[in-house]
Each structure stands twice: as structure tokens, then as C-alpha cells.
Amino acid sequence: MPERKPRRWVRRLWLTAAVLLLVVAGLWVGNSSVLWGTGEGRPSLLAHRGIAQTFPLDGVQADTCTATRIHPPDHGHVENTIVSMRAAFDAGADMVEFDVQVTSDGQLAVFHDPILECRTDGSGRVADHTLAELRRLDLGYGYTADNGATYPLRGRAVGLMPTAPEVIAAFPDRELLIDLKNDDPADGAKLADHLATLPASRLATISVYGGDDSVQAVRSRLPQIRATSKAIMKDCLIDYLAAGWTGHVPDSCRHTELHLPQRYGRYLWGWPDLFVDRMREADTRVILVAGDGDWSEGFDQPEDLTTAPSGWSGWLWTNRTDVIAPLTR
């Protein structure tokens, strides 16, 4: 009798291990991108600020003036101008992202930095200037690749700061992503005021992202719009990690966007292709951002594409559509 007890425990351990193995195998089979994902598509391209000047990311902090450390320019475009956005679409972009801030006279100016000194020949905060004052600036004034020895973009973007309504009107049949740069509900409300004047068919081609409060102001006014923020993405991903193993996509993940750094995707059920398929069925875009997602790192050079999942059919974030589009078509 004493000798049977250990054998009984051994059998129980083996049975428990077998059950666990079956559960793990079932989860793998049910969430296998290899078995169920479509894959082998082509990525859609999100052109960040149109076609932009890129810069090395080493040592970049939140207050770094990136215009003074660009790579030697091989194109003459200045970000966030209609010219650079049109060039991105012409090169093959499927959507263009641009930045929006509210001016002192209540206009929706398209510009990235909160202050003007880094990129332009102006000074002070964008929010403290009228649109007319901002229109007079040279948007390429501060760009240099050689520590200030030369400024190759000076004079190329004088008077080219657009407004959000002008960008929307310039590309009437194209997908646009608007980044609210200031997390202020008043900014979100101002943008929503304009978006509310657009027909439903046009509104369906426009997405909004930014800080939690500013985006919530847009969603409160226009719940039908595709919008995202850190809080929205966090809620979606936590809910999906809890329930996604069943194949269910939670409501928090529907009709939105997920801007995912490539290194984190591997932890999601069905990554990469099945996850993209599930989100697409839920009317949600999966936009892959290069690296850790810091400082708008994009898939900008041919070698960057080697780090994306093979056959990726979601979206890619890029600052150089002109370089990447020919390689993905």
C-alpha cells in the first residue's frame, strides 16, 4: 500500500501535464497566424507628416531640436506642408498624417513643434500667434545637417504653413490622420467643430489621434469618427490580451487605430497576420511603428523593412514614402 501512493501522484502529474499540453496546443492552433492568417499581402503606407527630413535618433529627448540634426537632405520637402503631403501620395502613400495646433485667433494650423525657434525664423509659441503671422514664416529655416555650416532648406517653404481645413480640401478623396499636438479639450473641440461640417462620406476617411483629453473631446462630439489615444489603445490591448485567445475582439478594439511598436506585437494573440485580420474585421487599423515607437521612428530605409513581419498586410509608419513604396509594391 505505501508504494502505490507515489505512483498515484505520478499518474496525476502526468495527467495534469497532458491536460496543460492539450490546452497550450489548442491555444496555439486557435491563434496560429501560420494556420489561419491570410498574410502575404502588401502593407499600406502611412506617410508621417508627408515626406519629411529624417534624423538620427541617438540621444534624442523630448526637447531636442531635430531640425538641427537631420541627415544630409536628398529631397527638398519640408514636413507638414501640402507640397510634402502631395509628394507622399504621388509616391504611393495610402494615408497622410499631419499635426494640428490652434492659433491665437482660433485657426487650426498645421505644425509640429509647440514653439517656432527650432524649425522656423519665428519665435515663441504657435498658440500665441495669429495664422497670418505664422503664414509669413520660413518653415525650412532651421534645418541643418552640418551643425549650422549650411541651411539647405532655407527659402523653400516661406508662407507654406497650411490649416487643417486646407489640407482636407486639398485631398478630398484621400485618407488623412490628424494628430492633435496639444492635449487640450479646447483644441479637440475646435477640430470637432470643423469636422462636424463635413459629410459622413468624407468624415469616414479622416482619423484623429493625440492626447487622451483632446481626443475624447472629438469623440464626444463625433462618436462615429475613428480616433485613438494612449488610453484607447491601452484599453483595447488589455482587453484583447484577456479575451483574444478565444478569437473574440472586444468592443474597446473596434473602429479605432493601434499604433504598435514592432517589438511588442509578438505578445498579442494571433500575431502577426491573424491579429491583423481580426482587427480589420473589427474596422481597426494596425499601424506598425519601427523600433520602440519613440520619436516617430519609421520604416524609412530598405533595411528597415527586414524587421517587419514577413508578408505584413497591415500598415507601416514611414517618413520616406518615396523610398519605401517602390519596395512594397
Side-chain angles (χ1 to χ4, degrees):
M1 290 294 295
E3 294 182 358
R4 294 179 184 175
K5 192 171 182 180
R7 292 175 184 171
R8 188 180 301 125
W9 279 106
V10 169
R11 287 196 297 271
R12 288 178 180 174
L13 286 172
W14 276 108
L15 180 60
T16 301
V19 170
L20 289 174
L21 184 61
L22 286 173
V23 170
V24 171
L27 288 174
W28 184 86
V29 170
N31 291 279
S32 172
S33 183
V34 175
L35 294 177
W36 309 114
T38 54
E40 298 306 322
R42 73 163 183 84
S44 298
L45 298 182
L46 167 60
H48 180 232
R49 308 181 203 168
I51 292 179
Q53 301 296 329
T54 59
F55 50 87
L57 294 170
D58 54 293
V60 171
Q61 301 296 324
D63 59 351
T64 300
C65 178
T66 56
T68 60
R69 53 181 291 149
I70 60 171
H71 295 117
D74 58 5
H75 67 83
H77 296 297
V78 175
E79 65 180 50
N80 273 321
T81 61
I82 288 178
V83 175
S84 76
M85 297 177 203
R86 181 169 289 113
F89 278 130
D90 289 345
D94 299 283
M95 178 166 54
V96 160
E97 184 263 13
F98 61 95
D99 304 310
V100 167
Q101 302 182 54
V102 178
T103 66
S104 64
D105 55 343
Q107 301 299 306
L108 296 166
V110 177
F111 192 72
H112 176 268
D113 301 349
I115 60 173
L116 298 166
E117 283 87 348
C118 173
R119 301 178 194 280
T120 80
D121 53 345
S123 62
R125 299 193 314 146
V126 173
D128 293 334
H129 291 269
T130 66
L131 179 63
E133 291 168 341
L134 296 171
R135 297 271 208 200
R136 293 194 286 267
L137 298 177
D138 180 355
L139 302 182
Y141 188 85
Y143 288 84
T144 179
D146 50 18
N147 296 314
T150 60
Y151 290 87
L153 300 180
R154 280 187 179 177
R156 296 194 179 204
V158 177
L160 294 188
M161 184 182 295
T163 63
E166 289 170 345
V167 174
I168 293 170
F171 306 105
D173 57 348
R174 305 307 300 260
E175 295 275 355
L176 298 171
L177 173 61
I178 300 174
D179 181 3
L180 282 163
K181 295 309 296 181
N182 299 319
D183 190 15
D184 185 338
D187 284 25
K190 177 63 71 172
L191 176 62
D193 286 343
H194 175 68
L195 296 180
T197 67
L198 303 177
S201 58
R202 183 59 174 133
L203 203 58
T205 65
I206 296 174
S207 305
V208 176
Y209 82 117
D212 298 335
D213 294 336
S214 60
V215 169
Q216 184 55 43
V218 176
R219 293 184 95 196
S220 296
R221 175 80 180 277
L222 301 168
Q224 72 271 36
I225 200 166
R226 188 193 305 273
T228 195
S229 66
K230 285 185 178 180
I232 292 170
M233 288 188 280
K234 181 179 178 181
D235 288 346
C236 164
L237 294 176
I238 289 175
D239 292 346
Y240 183 76
L241 285 171
W245 61 273
T246 66
H248 172 68
V249 177
D251 289 344
S252 56
C253 291
R254 296 183 179 276
H255 190 55
T256 185
E257 289 191 353
L258 298 175
H259 300 173
L260 293 178
Q262 57 186 353
R263 63 179 296 183
Y264 300 126
R266 69 192 73 174
Y267 302 110
L268 299 170
W269 299 107
W271 183 261
D273 301 324
L274 182 57
F275 176 77
V276 170
D277 291 343
R278 288 172 175 171
M279 292 300 155
R280 186 178 290 121
E281 289 176 3
D283 194 29
T284 286
R285 297 187 181 112
V286 182
I287 301 176
L288 201 61
V289 182
D292 295 332
D294 293 332
W295 322 123
S296 304
E297 187 174 356
F299 293 85
D300 299 335
Q301 298 300 323
E303 57 268 23
D304 296 335
L305 291 175
T306 64
T307 65
S310 177
W312 176 254
S313 60
W315 290 75
L316 292 178
W317 180 289
T318 180
N319 300 289
R320 294 297 306 270
T321 311
D322 54 325
V323 173
I324 297 302
L327 303 175
T328 61
R329 298 298 187 259

